[in-house]
Amino acid sequence: MEVKINAYAKINLMLDIINKRTDGYHDLFMIMQSVSAHDVITVSEDRSRSISITCSKPGIPLDERNICWKSAAEFFKYTKKKNKGIKIDIKKNIPHAAGLAGGSADGAAVIKALNEIYKTGLSDNELCKIGVKVGADLPFCITGGTLLAQGIGDKLSRVKPLKKCFIVLAKPDFDVNTGAAYSQFDKFGKTRTPDKFGMLCAIQSGSLTAVCSKLENVFEQFIEVPRRVDIKEIMKQNGALGVCMSGSGPTVFGIYEEKQAAENACRELLPITSDISLCTPVRHGCKIVKITE
Protein backbone atom coordinates (compact mmCIF):
# COMPACT_ATOMS: atom_id res chain seq x y z
CA MET A 1 0.00 0.00 0.00
CA GLU A 2 1.06 3.59 -0.66
CA VAL A 3 -0.38 6.64 1.12
CA LYS A 4 0.15 10.23 -0.06
CA ILE A 5 -0.51 13.03 2.46
CA ASN A 6 -0.40 16.83 2.37
CA ALA A 7 1.47 18.03 5.47
CA TYR A 8 0.39 21.62 6.21
CA ALA A 9 2.51 24.38 7.73
CA LYS A 10 1.40 26.47 10.70
CA ILE A 11 1.74 30.02 11.89
CA ASN A 12 1.46 31.36 15.43
CA LEU A 13 -1.12 34.12 15.75
CA MET A 14 0.09 34.41 19.33
CA LEU A 15 2.98 32.78 21.17
CA ASP A 16 3.76 33.35 24.83
CA ILE A 17 6.22 31.41 26.98
CA ILE A 18 4.77 31.08 30.48
CA ASN A 19 7.72 29.49 32.27
CA LYS A 20 10.40 26.82 32.14
CA ARG A 21 9.32 23.49 33.62
CA THR A 22 11.35 21.22 35.87
CA ASP A 23 11.57 18.66 33.03
CA GLY A 24 13.38 21.21 30.83
CA TYR A 25 10.40 21.93 28.58
CA HIS A 26 8.44 25.19 28.61
CA ASP A 27 4.77 25.87 29.33
CA LEU A 28 3.31 27.77 26.40
CA PHE A 29 0.23 29.69 25.32
CA MET A 30 -0.19 29.62 21.55
CA ILE A 31 -2.95 30.36 19.08
CA MET A 32 -1.94 28.24 16.11
CA GLN A 33 -3.27 28.30 12.58
CA SER A 34 -2.82 25.78 9.76
CA VAL A 35 -2.07 27.32 6.37
CA SER A 36 -2.26 25.94 2.84
CA ALA A 37 1.51 25.83 2.26
CA HIS A 38 2.42 22.15 2.54
CA ASP A 39 4.92 19.37 1.99
CA VAL A 40 3.83 16.17 0.25
CA ILE A 41 4.67 12.96 2.11
CA THR A 42 4.38 9.57 0.42
CA VAL A 43 4.71 6.47 2.61
CA SER A 44 4.87 3.06 0.94
CA GLU A 45 5.50 -0.51 2.01
CA ASP A 46 8.53 -2.51 0.94
CA ARG A 47 10.16 -5.67 2.26
CA SER A 48 13.31 -4.12 3.69
CA ARG A 49 12.30 -4.39 7.38
CA SER A 50 13.79 -0.94 7.78
CA ILE A 51 12.86 2.75 7.45
CA SER A 52 14.26 4.55 4.40
CA ILE A 53 13.81 8.24 3.55
CA THR A 54 14.24 10.29 0.39
CA CYS A 55 13.80 14.07 0.17
CA SER A 56 13.61 16.60 -2.64
CA LYS A 57 15.64 19.16 -0.65
CA PRO A 58 19.40 18.64 -0.24
CA GLY A 59 20.84 18.83 3.26
CA ILE A 60 17.92 17.24 5.09
CA PRO A 61 19.11 14.26 7.20
CA LEU A 62 17.76 10.95 5.92
CA ASP A 63 18.54 8.81 8.96
CA GLU A 64 17.50 8.56 12.64
CA ARG A 65 17.88 12.34 12.99
CA ASN A 66 14.91 12.97 10.68
CA ILE A 67 11.61 13.58 12.47
CA CYS A 68 9.86 11.29 9.97
CA TRP A 69 12.15 8.43 11.00
CA LYS A 70 11.51 9.16 14.68
CA SER A 71 7.75 9.31 14.08
CA ALA A 72 7.73 5.96 12.31
CA ALA A 73 9.80 4.36 15.06
CA GLU A 74 7.46 5.75 17.73
CA PHE A 75 4.42 4.45 15.80
CA PHE A 76 5.83 0.91 15.78
CA LYS A 77 6.76 1.17 19.46
CA TYR A 78 3.28 2.39 20.46
CA THR A 79 1.29 -0.07 18.33
CA LYS A 80 3.71 -2.99 18.76
CA LYS A 81 3.37 -3.63 15.04
CA LYS A 82 6.31 -5.27 13.31
CA ASN A 83 7.98 -3.04 10.74
CA LYS A 84 7.96 -5.04 7.51
CA GLY A 85 9.70 -2.15 5.77
CA ILE A 86 8.59 1.35 4.78
CA LYS A 87 9.84 4.01 2.42
CA ILE A 88 9.15 7.70 3.15
CA ASP A 89 9.44 10.26 0.37
CA ILE A 90 9.38 13.96 1.29
CA LYS A 91 8.59 16.60 -1.31
CA LYS A 92 9.70 19.69 0.56
CA ASN A 93 7.89 22.98 0.02
CA ILE A 94 7.83 24.36 3.57
CA PRO A 95 11.12 26.11 4.36
CA HIS A 96 13.44 24.31 6.79
CA ALA A 97 14.14 25.84 10.25
CA ALA A 98 11.57 28.54 9.56
CA GLY A 99 9.18 28.50 12.54
CA LEU A 100 6.46 26.92 10.38
CA ALA A 101 6.55 23.38 11.86
CA GLY A 102 7.58 21.84 8.53
CA GLY A 103 9.39 18.94 10.14
CA SER A 104 6.59 18.36 12.64
CA ALA A 105 4.00 18.39 9.84
CA ASP A 106 6.02 15.75 7.98
CA GLY A 107 6.28 13.58 11.09
CA ALA A 108 2.54 13.91 11.72
CA ALA A 109 1.85 12.82 8.14
CA VAL A 110 3.99 9.69 8.59
CA ILE A 111 2.05 8.69 11.71
CA LYS A 112 -1.25 9.21 9.91
CA ALA A 113 -0.06 7.24 6.86
CA LEU A 114 1.14 4.30 8.95
CA ASN A 115 -2.23 4.21 10.70
CA GLU A 116 -3.74 3.54 7.25
CA ILE A 117 -1.09 1.12 6.01
CA TYR A 118 -1.13 -1.04 9.15
CA LYS A 119 -4.91 -0.68 9.58
CA THR A 120 -4.54 0.14 13.28
CA GLY A 121 -7.69 2.30 13.37
CA LEU A 122 -6.25 4.77 15.89
CA SER A 123 -8.22 7.93 16.62
CA ASP A 124 -6.65 11.37 16.14
CA ASN A 125 -6.34 11.55 19.93
CA GLU A 126 -4.26 8.36 19.94
CA LEU A 127 -2.18 9.59 17.00
CA CYS A 128 -1.49 12.75 19.01
CA LYS A 129 -0.26 10.62 21.93
CA ILE A 130 2.29 9.09 19.58
CA GLY A 131 3.20 12.44 18.05
CA VAL A 132 3.88 14.30 21.31
CA LYS A 133 6.58 11.73 22.17
CA VAL A 134 8.41 12.93 19.06
CA GLY A 135 7.79 16.68 19.24
CA ALA A 136 5.48 19.24 20.85
CA ASP A 137 4.08 20.53 17.53
CA LEU A 138 3.04 17.13 16.15
CA PRO A 139 -0.36 16.96 17.93
CA PHE A 140 -1.32 20.30 16.37
CA CYS A 141 -0.12 19.20 12.92
CA ILE A 142 -2.27 16.06 13.19
CA THR A 143 -5.36 17.98 14.33
CA GLY A 144 -4.89 21.34 12.60
CA GLY A 145 -7.21 24.27 11.99
CA THR A 146 -7.32 27.13 14.51
CA LEU A 147 -6.41 25.93 17.99
CA LEU A 148 -5.33 27.14 21.40
CA ALA A 149 -2.28 25.09 22.38
CA GLN A 150 -1.13 24.98 26.01
CA GLY A 151 1.23 22.91 28.14
CA ILE A 152 4.22 22.10 25.93
CA GLY A 153 1.86 22.41 22.96
CA ASP A 154 0.05 19.13 23.57
CA LYS A 155 -3.10 20.46 25.25
CA LEU A 156 -5.30 21.57 22.36
CA SER A 157 -8.61 23.44 22.47
CA ARG A 158 -10.82 24.48 19.55
CA VAL A 159 -11.43 28.18 19.03
CA LYS A 160 -13.38 29.97 16.31
CA PRO A 161 -11.81 29.39 12.86
CA LEU A 162 -9.90 32.25 11.33
CA LYS A 163 -11.93 34.14 8.74
CA LYS A 164 -11.04 33.73 5.06
CA CYS A 165 -7.95 35.77 4.26
CA PHE A 166 -4.63 35.70 2.43
CA ILE A 167 -1.36 35.12 4.26
CA VAL A 168 2.09 36.03 2.95
CA LEU A 169 5.02 34.05 4.39
CA ALA A 170 8.50 35.52 3.99
CA LYS A 171 11.59 33.74 5.33
CA PRO A 172 14.83 35.73 5.44
CA ASP A 173 18.03 33.91 4.47
CA PHE A 174 18.66 32.99 8.08
CA ASP A 175 17.90 29.93 10.22
CA VAL A 176 16.86 29.84 13.88
CA ASN A 177 17.59 26.83 16.07
CA THR A 178 14.55 26.29 18.28
CA GLY A 179 16.53 24.94 21.22
CA ALA A 180 18.88 27.93 21.11
CA ALA A 181 15.88 30.28 20.95
CA TYR A 182 14.42 28.84 24.16
CA SER A 183 17.85 29.12 25.77
CA GLN A 184 17.73 32.85 25.00
CA PHE A 185 14.42 33.07 26.86
CA ASP A 186 15.91 31.19 29.83
CA LYS A 187 18.80 33.65 29.87
CA PHE A 188 17.01 36.96 29.25
CA GLY A 189 13.33 36.35 30.00
CA LYS A 190 10.69 38.61 28.46
CA THR A 191 10.07 42.32 28.83
CA ARG A 192 6.29 42.17 28.40
CA THR A 193 3.50 39.61 28.30
CA PRO A 194 1.22 39.32 25.25
CA ASP A 195 -2.47 40.09 25.74
CA LYS A 196 -3.69 36.49 25.81
CA PHE A 197 -7.23 37.27 26.98
CA GLY A 198 -7.53 40.01 24.38
CA MET A 199 -6.49 37.60 21.63
CA LEU A 200 -9.00 34.97 22.77
CA CYS A 201 -11.76 37.58 22.71
CA ALA A 202 -10.66 38.74 19.26
CA ILE A 203 -10.63 35.16 17.92
CA GLN A 204 -14.09 34.44 19.30
CA SER A 205 -15.45 37.71 17.86
CA GLY A 206 -14.69 36.47 14.36
CA SER A 207 -13.19 39.84 13.41
CA LEU A 208 -10.05 39.54 11.29
CA THR A 209 -9.11 43.12 12.14
CA ALA A 210 -9.42 42.42 15.87
CA VAL A 211 -7.29 39.28 15.61
CA CYS A 212 -4.60 41.11 13.63
CA SER A 213 -4.47 43.87 16.25
CA LYS A 214 -3.45 41.27 18.86
CA LEU A 215 -0.79 39.35 16.92
CA GLU A 216 2.29 38.90 19.11
CA ASN A 217 5.20 36.50 19.48
CA VAL A 218 7.32 36.68 22.62
CA PHE A 219 10.37 35.34 20.72
CA GLU A 220 10.58 38.67 18.90
CA GLN A 221 11.67 40.27 22.17
CA PHE A 222 15.00 38.42 22.27
CA ILE A 223 15.61 36.76 18.87
CA GLU A 224 17.33 39.00 16.33
CA VAL A 225 16.38 38.24 12.71
CA PRO A 226 18.11 40.14 9.88
CA ARG A 227 15.70 42.17 7.69
CA ARG A 228 12.68 41.33 9.87
CA VAL A 229 11.86 45.03 10.33
CA ASP A 230 12.18 45.64 6.56
CA ILE A 231 9.91 42.70 5.73
CA LYS A 232 7.28 43.88 8.18
CA GLU A 233 7.38 47.41 6.80
CA ILE A 234 6.87 46.23 3.20
CA MET A 235 3.97 44.05 4.29
CA LYS A 236 2.33 46.94 6.14
CA GLN A 237 2.87 49.37 3.24
CA ASN A 238 0.96 46.94 1.04
CA GLY A 239 -2.06 46.79 3.32
CA ALA A 240 -1.38 43.99 5.81
CA LEU A 241 -3.90 44.05 8.65
CA GLY A 242 -1.22 42.62 10.92
CA VAL A 243 2.33 41.21 10.79
CA CYS A 244 4.19 38.89 13.13
CA MET A 245 6.99 36.33 13.31
CA SER A 246 5.98 32.67 13.45
CA GLY A 247 7.35 30.21 16.03
CA SER A 248 10.96 30.77 16.98
CA GLY A 249 11.41 32.38 13.56
CA PRO A 250 12.68 33.62 11.29
CA THR A 251 9.60 33.56 9.00
CA VAL A 252 7.44 36.69 9.11
CA PHE A 253 3.81 36.57 8.01
CA GLY A 254 1.35 39.25 6.97
CA ILE A 255 -2.44 38.83 6.90
CA TYR A 256 -4.47 40.46 4.11
CA GLU A 257 -8.15 40.73 3.26
CA GLU A 258 -7.49 41.19 -0.47
CA LYS A 259 -5.49 38.80 -2.66
CA GLN A 260 -4.21 41.60 -4.90
CA ALA A 261 -2.63 43.40 -1.94
CA ALA A 262 -0.98 40.15 -0.81
CA GLU A 263 0.39 39.55 -4.32
CA ASN A 264 1.76 43.10 -4.42
CA ALA A 265 3.57 42.48 -1.12
CA CYS A 266 5.09 39.27 -2.50
CA ARG A 267 6.53 41.16 -5.47
CA GLU A 268 7.98 43.95 -3.34
CA LEU A 269 9.58 41.46 -0.96
CA LEU A 270 11.61 39.76 -3.72
CA PRO A 271 14.68 42.02 -3.32
CA ILE A 272 14.92 40.88 0.31
CA THR A 273 14.18 37.16 -0.04
CA SER A 274 12.98 34.73 -2.69
CA ASP A 275 11.58 32.39 -0.01
CA ILE A 276 8.02 33.75 -0.19
CA SER A 277 4.66 31.96 -0.18
CA LEU A 278 1.09 33.19 -0.60
CA CYS A 279 -1.34 30.93 1.22
CA THR A 280 -4.72 30.79 2.97
CA PRO A 281 -5.95 29.35 6.29
CA VAL A 282 -7.04 25.70 6.32
CA ARG A 283 -9.32 24.06 8.86
CA HIS A 284 -7.59 20.70 9.24
CA GLY A 285 -4.22 19.14 9.85
CA CYS A 286 -2.33 16.76 7.56
CA LYS A 287 -4.69 15.31 4.96
CA ILE A 288 -4.67 12.04 3.04
CA VAL A 289 -4.97 12.82 -0.68
CA LYS A 290 -4.38 9.38 -2.24
CA ILE A 291 -4.29 5.73 -1.17
CA THR A 292 -3.00 3.10 -3.56
CA GLU A 293 -3.52 -0.53 -2.58
Side-chain angles (χ1 to χ4, degrees), residues 20 33 75 86 88 184 206 217 254 290:
K20 184 175 182 179
Q33 175 65 53
F75 173 86
I86 60 163
I88 302 167
Q184 289 289 96
N217 182 344
K290 187 177 180 182

Side-chain angles (χ1 to χ4, degrees), residues 158-257:
R158 287 281 177 196
V159 293
K160 196 165 185 176
L162 190 67
K163 201 175 161 185
K164 181 181 176 181
C165 60
F166 300 92
I167 301 168
V168 175
L169 308 177
K171 179 185 181 289
D173 187 17
F174 179 78
D175 291 345
V176 175
N177 178 279
T178 301
Y182 278 103
S183 294
Q184 289 289 96
F185 169 79
D186 296 337
K187 183 176 181 180
F188 298 109
K190 57 187 178 182
T191 56
R192 67 180 183 279
T193 297
D195 182 8
K196 295 186 283 293
F197 180 71
M199 173 58 91
L200 285 173
C201 291
I203 285 280
Q204 293 307 105
S205 77
S207 166
L208 193 61
T209 301
V211 170
C212 288
S213 73
K214 295 296 181 181
L215 298 178
E216 189 165 358
N217 182 344
V218 76
F219 277 117
E220 294 199 57
Q221 297 178 26
F222 46 85
I223 298 295
E224 291 299 324
V225 174
R227 307 304 300 270
R228 180 172 63 200
V229 172
D230 298 331
I231 290 170
K232 284 188 168 187
E233 189 58 32
I234 290 171
M235 288 179 170
K236 289 176 183 175
Q237 287 173 358
N238 283 277
L241 295 178
V243 297
C244 193
M245 188 174 79
S246 184
S248 56
T251 301
V252 176
F253 66 88
I255 297 179
Y256 297 80
E257 281 188 302

Side-chain angles (χ1 to χ4, degrees), residues 41-43 51-54 68-69 72 86-90 110:
I41 308 301
T42 304
V43 182
I51 301 167
S52 62
I53 301 174
T54 55
C68 289
W69 196 101
I86 60 163
K87 179 181 177 181
I88 302 167
D89 178 69
I90 307 168
V110 167

Side-chain angles (χ1 to χ4, degrees), residues 80-102:
K80 298 181 170 54
K81 291 284 185 179
K82 185 176 180 181
N83 178 14
K84 299 174 184 177
I86 60 163
K87 179 181 177 181
I88 302 167
D89 178 69
I90 307 168
K91 184 180 179 183
K92 203 82 184 131
N93 301 308
I94 305 170
H96 176 65
L100 300 172

